[in-house]
Amino acid sequence: MKATIYDVAREAGVSIAAVSQVINGKGKISEERRQEILQVMERLNYRPSVIAAALTGKKTYTIGLLVPDISNPFFSEIARAVEDQGDHRGYSIIMCSTDNKMERAERYLSLMLQKSVDGLIIGTGMENKEALIKLMKSIPVVMVAREAETNLAMQTVIVDDFVGGSLAARHFLELKHSRVAVLAEKATVSSSRERIRGFRETLVQAGHALAESRIKACEDDLLKEGKEKALELLQQPDRPSAIFCCNDLLAIGTLRAAKELGLRVPHDVSIIGFDNTILATVTDPTLTTVAQPTELMGKMAVDSLIQKLEGQPPAEERVVLRPELIIRQSTAVKE
Amino acid sequence: MKATIYDVAREAGVSIAAVSQVINGKGKISEERRQEILQVMERLNYRPSVIAAALTGKKTYTIGLLVPDISNPFFSEIARAVEDQGDHRGYSIIMCSTDNKMERAERYLSLMLQKSVDGLIIGTGMENKEALIKLMKSIPVVMVAREAETNLAMQTVIVDDFVGGSLAARHFLELKHSRVAVLAEKATVSSSRERIRGFRETLVQAGHALAESRIKACEDDLLKEGKEKALELLQQPDRPSAIFCCNDLLAIGTLRAAKELGLRVPHDVSIIGFDNTILATVTDPTLTTVAQPTELMGKMAVDSLIQKLEGQPPAEERVVLRPELIIRQSTAVKE
DNA sequence: TTGAAAGCGATACCAA
DNA sequence: TTGGTATCGCTTTCAA
C-alpha cells in the first residue's frame, strides 16, 4: 500500500501535525526534526495525497479544459500550450471535447465541479447564459478563443475575430475579388459570427455586398460537411471567385471540393482559411490563412486563471490579440 | 456554498447514511424516503463530491493519458478516441505530454499517483523498466501504440509495427526502389525501432541492404529536424530514390526537404509515411502511408483498462492490430 | 429500514 | 516547538 502521513509520523516518532508542517513548509519545526522526517518520507517513498488535502480545503491543482474537439489541430495546439503552462505552474489538465454540443458541455461542466477542479478554461461556445453565470459563482472561469455569450464581466483571451475577417476581405479586395462567399461553422459559434461580420463589413465599405445565400454553415464534421457546402457554393450560378473559410479544416474541405469540380486553386478560385494550424502549411496549394497566436493564447489563459485562483488582483479582463494574415499559395489576383 | 450530504440529510430529516444509500442505490430504503431525499437533492442542486468519495476508497473515475505530444495529430486522434470512450464509460481524462522525455514522464507519473487517478494509459516510451514495474504495482496500466520496454506481462494495444515497416518495404520493392533510406524517431522509441526492423528485414530478404548511414533519427521537433535530416539523406552520394518515414510528421519534413532541393515527389524520390493522420490526406502530393486504426486503438485501450479497474477477468493481454498501407501520390515506380 | 459512529488522509487551530 | 484533535464530505459496518 501507499504510505500515508500516519506511517511517516509513526516511523519518525512524531505527530502527524509535525509531518504536515514539513510537507507544507509552514509552522515552526526544528531543522533537526525536519531532516529526520524528510528522510523517513524519502525512505517510505511517501507522496501526500492530493485528494485528502483537497478535502480540507486545499486545491486539487487541476484545471478543466473545454474545447470543441481535441483532435482539431487548432485546439490540440491550444491544449498543448495550456498543458505546458499548467504544468509549469503546477496544475494538471482534464480535457473535455464538447463537439460544440451544449448538452455535452453541460454534462462535462457538472462533472468538473464534482471533481473539484480549481478552475475552468473554456474554448467552446457557452450558449446557455444562465448556466454560465451560475457556473462562475462556483468556480473561476476564463474563456479562450471564444467569446462568452453574456455581458457578464469575465476573463477572456481571444483574437480579434472581427479584424481577422476584415483582413481576409481586404486581401480578397486587393486581389480584385468581389464575388465572394463564406464557409462558416454553425451560427452559435461566436468566433465564426464575428469573422463573418468583419468580413462583410469590410466588403460593404468597399461597396460590395455579401448575400446570405453566399454564406454556408457546417454543423458537425467540418471536413466532410465543409466539402459538401463548398461544393454547393462553387456550383451556384455566378460562381464565387473567392471563398473565406472560418477555419483551416473548412478550407481543406473547400480545397477538396474545388479539386472535385476540376477547379484550380488559386487560378479559378481563391481560398483563405483561419487559424494557421499545421494543416495550412502542408496543403496543396498551401493555405493563405489568418493566424492566431495559439501558444500565447493558451499560456495567457492559464496565467489569467491561476492569477484568479491564487486570489491575486485580476489582471486585464479582456485580452484581445491581433490576428495576422499569412499569405501563401491559395490566393491570387482574379483572372 | 455547494450543498453537502449533511445539508441534504438535514433538509430531508434523515441521516447522512440514508442519503448515501440513495446516492449509491445500495442498501434498503423505503421507496417513499428515497423519493423524498431525491427531491431534496434536486432542490439543493446537490452533487456528491468525487473527492470525498475517493477518500473513502471509491474511485476517482479519472484516467491519466500519457502521450509524447498531444498536438501531434496522431496522438490527438488517439486522445479523442480515449476521451470519447472514457466519457462513455464514466471516466475523465487527464492529459500529459511527455515529449518522449523520461524525466517529464516520471514527473507526470508521480503526479498522477498523488492525484489518485484510477489507471493509466501510456502511449509514450517507458525506458525505465524498474519505474514501470514499480508503477504497475500501485496502479493498473495499459500501453497503447507503444510497446512496454519490459518483459513484464502487461495489457497492450498496439499495431504490428514490424509488419507496418515490412509493408512499406514491400511497396518500395514493388516500385523497383532498392536504394532506400529511413527517417525515424530517436532509438528509444520502440515503435520506430520495430518499423525499421520490419522494413530492413523485408529488404534483406529481397537481397538488398540497408546501411546504417541510410538511417537518420530525430530527437525533438519532428517537423524541423525531420526536414534537416531528410536534407542530409537526400544529399548523400548515390541519393536514395525512396524514403520511409516513421510517421507522417517526418514525412512532411521530408516533403519539404525534397522541395527545397528541387526534387519532385514521387518523380525523383518516393516517400512513405506512417499513421495516416489527417495530414497525410492534405499534403502535396498526398502521402502514401501506413495506417493505424487510431480510433479502435483508443477505444480498446480504455475498455481494457476499465476491465482491469473493475476487477473483471482480464481480456487478452496483447492486442496486436493490423496496419494497412494506404497508397496515395507520394510513391511511384522508380524512373 | 434506519441511524450512530468509525474511518479515509490531510490541515490547522489550540494547548501544552 | 510540539502534539492532540476537530474537521473536510462521504462510505460502510453494526446496532437498534
Side-chain angles (χ1 to χ4, degrees):
Chain A
M1 269 323 281
K2 275 195 67 178
T4 73
I5 198 172
Y6 292 96
D7 300 324
V8 176
R10 187 171 352 95
E11 281 292 305
V14 298
S15 74
I16 60 167
V19 179
S20 178
Q21 297 205 8
V22 355
I23 292 172
N24 299 288
K26 301 185 181 177
K28 309 283 167 200
I29 258 214
S30 65
E31 187 53 25
E32 196 183 2
R33 263 171 150 15
R34 225 179 70 80
Q35 287 307 331
E36 278 176 28
I37 294 176
L38 244 19
Q39 286 192 9
V40 176
M41 291 187 355
E42 177 73 19
R43 184 152 54 77
L44 266 43
N45 192 27
Y46 168 72
R47 302 266 176 272
S49 154
V50 172
I51 295 286
L55 193 54
T56 73
K58 289 193 68 165
K59 290 186 293 191
T60 53
Y61 292 95
T62 305
I63 292 173
L65 172 68
L66 268 68
V67 296
D69 179 8
I70 190 74
S71 74
N72 171 329
F74 173 66
F75 290 106
S76 70
E77 285 169 26
I78 290 268
R80 181 65 210 265
V82 166
E83 188 202 321
D84 278 355
Q85 187 65 6
D87 182 47
H88 183 65
R89 302 277 240 119
Y91 290 76
S92 313
I93 311 296
I94 293 189
M95 61 180 191
C96 310
S97 294
T98 65
D99 277 332
N100 280 321
K101 300 270 198 332
M102 208 49 209
E103 160 252 329
R104 266 188 85 126
E106 292 186 351
R107 205 161 42 69
Y108 266 128
L109 287 176
S110 152
L111 194 57
M112 292 300 98
L113 251 25
Q114 282 194 48
K115 295 206 172 171
S116 308
V117 299
D118 297 328
L120 253 15
I121 294 181
I122 302 187
T124 188
M126 288 298 305
E127 300 147 39
N128 187 336
K129 292 191 188 194
E130 295 173 23
L132 224 200
I133 294 175
K134 233 172 69 183
L135 184 67
M136 289 184 56
K137 287 189 183 141
S138 36
I139 189 174
V141 174
V142 1
M143 301 290 302
V144 67
R146 290 281 126 94
E147 203 73 66
E149 309 279 329
T150 102
N151 29 28
L152 228 62
M154 69 184 310
Q155 309 276 100
T156 305
V157 178
I158 203 169
V159 98
D160 194 324
D161 288 305
F162 182 91
V163 168
S166 162
L167 246 28
R170 205 167 309 151
H171 184 54
F172 277 161
L173 290 172
E174 282 166 2
L175 299 175
K176 311 295 182 206
H177 293 282
S178 55
R179 210 172 61 250
V180 301
V182 174
L183 189 58
E185 291 187 76
K186 57 183 176 184
T188 52
V189 178
S190 65
S191 56
S192 264
R193 283 205 314 272
E194 277 302 290
R195 289 169 196 177
I196 295 176
R197 213 167 59 79
F199 185 78
R200 164 177 273 150
E201 205 140 299
T202 303
L203 234 42
V204 167
Q205 276 177 14
H208 301 284
L210 179 64
E212 279 306 319
S213 62
R214 293 292 203 185
I215 305 180
K216 296 276 181 189
C218 298
E219 288 291 323
D220 255 322
D221 185 337
L222 265 22
L223 228 38
K224 182 163 158 292
E225 265 188 79
K227 178 178 161 191
E228 291 165 6
K229 304 286 184 189
L231 235 27
E232 294 176 16
L233 286 172
L234 291 171
Q235 287 176 312
Q236 287 179 345
D238 200 19
R239 170 165 59 74
S241 68
I243 299 185
F244 170 46
C245 303
C246 287
N247 66 47
D248 288 346
L249 246 21
L250 293 170
I252 286 172
T254 306
L255 238 24
R256 291 181 181 171
K259 186 172 239 172
E260 184 164 316
L261 295 174
L263 297 171
R264 286 159 305 166
V265 178
H267 188 273
D268 299 319
V269 54
S270 282
I271 298 175
I272 297 184
F274 209 111
D275 290 349
N276 192 32
T277 55
I278 183 175
L279 295 173
T281 68
V282 303
T283 54
D284 165 29
T286 55
L287 266 182
T288 293
T289 191
V290 180
Q292 304 200 48
T294 329
E295 210 169 309
L296 184 59
M297 287 168 72
K299 181 176 182 311
M300 292 190 80
V302 171
D303 284 340
S304 170
L305 180 62
I306 294 181
Q307 194 152 33
K308 249 173 140 173
L309 294 183
E310 301 185 339
Q312 288 164 37
E316 269 178 288
E317 190 161 274
R318 271 175 67 82
V319 178
V320 181
L321 272 9
R322 274 192 352 97
E324 185 188 354
L325 182 72
I326 309 287
I327 299 177
R328 295 207 181 84
Q329 304 164 344
S330 66
T331 48
V333 175
K334 191 186 166 199
E335 298 284 302
Chain B
M1 265 326 281
K2 276 194 65 176
T4 74
I5 198 171
Y6 291 99
D7 301 322
V8 176
R10 186 171 353 94
E11 282 291 306
V14 299
S15 75
I16 61 168
V19 179
S20 178
Q21 297 205 9
V22 353
I23 293 173
N24 299 290
K26 300 186 182 177
K28 309 283 166 198
I29 258 212
S30 64
E31 187 53 25
E32 196 182 2
R33 262 171 148 15
R34 223 179 72 82
Q35 288 305 333
E36 277 177 28
I37 294 176
L38 244 19
Q39 285 192 10
V40 176
M41 293 190 348
E42 178 74 18
R43 183 151 54 76
L44 266 44
N45 192 26
Y46 169 72
R47 300 267 176 270
S49 155
V50 172
I51 295 287
L55 194 54
T56 73
K58 290 191 69 165
K59 290 185 294 190
T60 53
Y61 292 95
T62 306
I63 292 173
L65 173 67
L66 268 69
V67 295
D69 179 8
I70 190 74
S71 74
N72 170 331
F74 173 66
F75 290 106
S76 70
E77 286 169 25
I78 290 269
R80 182 65 211 268
V82 166
E83 189 202 322
D84 278 355
Q85 187 65 6
D87 182 48
H88 183 66
R89 302 277 238 118
Y91 291 76
S92 312
I93 312 296
I94 294 189
M95 62 179 190
C96 311
S97 294
T98 65
D99 277 331
N100 280 321
K101 300 269 198 329
M102 209 48 209
E103 160 252 328
R104 267 189 83 127
E106 292 186 351
R107 204 161 41 69
Y108 266 128
L109 288 176
S110 153
L111 194 57
M112 293 300 98
L113 252 24
Q114 282 194 48
K115 295 207 171 170
S116 309
V117 298
D118 298 328
L120 254 14
I121 295 181
I122 302 187
T124 187
M126 287 300 303
E127 299 147 39
N128 187 336
K129 292 190 188 193
E130 296 172 22
L132 224 199
I133 294 175
K134 234 173 68 183
L135 184 68
M136 290 184 55
K137 287 189 183 141
S138 37
I139 190 174
V141 174
V142 359
M143 302 290 302
V144 66
R146 288 281 182 283
E147 203 71 65
E149 309 279 329
T150 100
N151 30 28
L152 228 63
M154 70 185 310
Q155 309 275 101
T156 305
V157 178
I158 202 170
V159 98
D160 194 324
D161 288 304
F162 183 90
V163 168
S166 163
L167 246 28
R170 207 167 308 152
H171 185 54
F172 277 160
L173 289 172
E174 282 166 1
L175 299 175
K176 312 294 180 207
H177 293 281
S178 55
R179 211 172 60 249
V180 301
V182 173
L183 190 58
E185 291 187 76
K186 57 183 176 185
T188 52
V189 178
S190 65
S191 57
S192 263
R193 283 205 314 272
E194 277 303 291
R195 289 168 197 178
I196 296 176
R197 214 166 58 79
F199 185 78
R200 166 178 272 149
E201 205 140 299
T202 302
L203 234 43
V204 168
Q205 276 177 13
H208 301 283
L210 179 65
E212 280 305 320
S213 61
R214 294 292 204 184
I215 305 180
K216 297 275 181 189
C218 298
E219 289 289 323
D220 254 321
D221 184 337
L222 265 22
L223 228 37
K224 183 164 156 292
E225 267 188 79
K227 178 179 162 191
E228 292 165 6
K229 303 287 184 188
L231 235 26
E232 294 176 17
L233 286 172
L234 291 171
Q235 288 176 312
Q236 287 181 344
D238 200 18
R239 169 165 58 75
S241 68
I243 299 186
F244 170 46
C245 303
C246 287
N247 66 48
D248 288 346
L249 246 22
L250 292 171
I252 286 172
T254 306
L255 237 24
R256 291 181 180 169
K259 184 172 241 171
E260 184 164 315
L261 295 175
L263 297 171
R264 287 159 305 167
V265 178
H267 189 274
D268 300 318
V269 53
S270 282
I271 298 175
I272 297 184
F274 209 112
D275 291 347
N276 192 32
T277 56
I278 183 175
L279 295 173
T281 69
V282 303
T283 53
D284 165 30
T286 55
L287 265 182
T288 294
T289 191
V290 179
Q292 303 200 48
T294 329
E295 210 170 310
L296 184 59
M297 287 168 72
K299 181 177 183 310
M300 293 189 79
V302 171
D303 284 340
S304 170
L305 180 62
I306 294 182
Q307 195 153 32
K308 249 172 140 174
L309 293 183
E310 301 186 340
Q312 288 165 36
E316 268 179 288
E317 189 160 276
R318 271 175 68 83
V319 177
V320 181
L321 273 7
R322 275 190 356 95
E324 186 188 354
L325 182 72
I326 310 287
I327 300 177
R328 295 205 181 84
Q329 306 163 343
S330 64
T331 48
V333 175
K334 193 187 165 199
E335 299 283 301

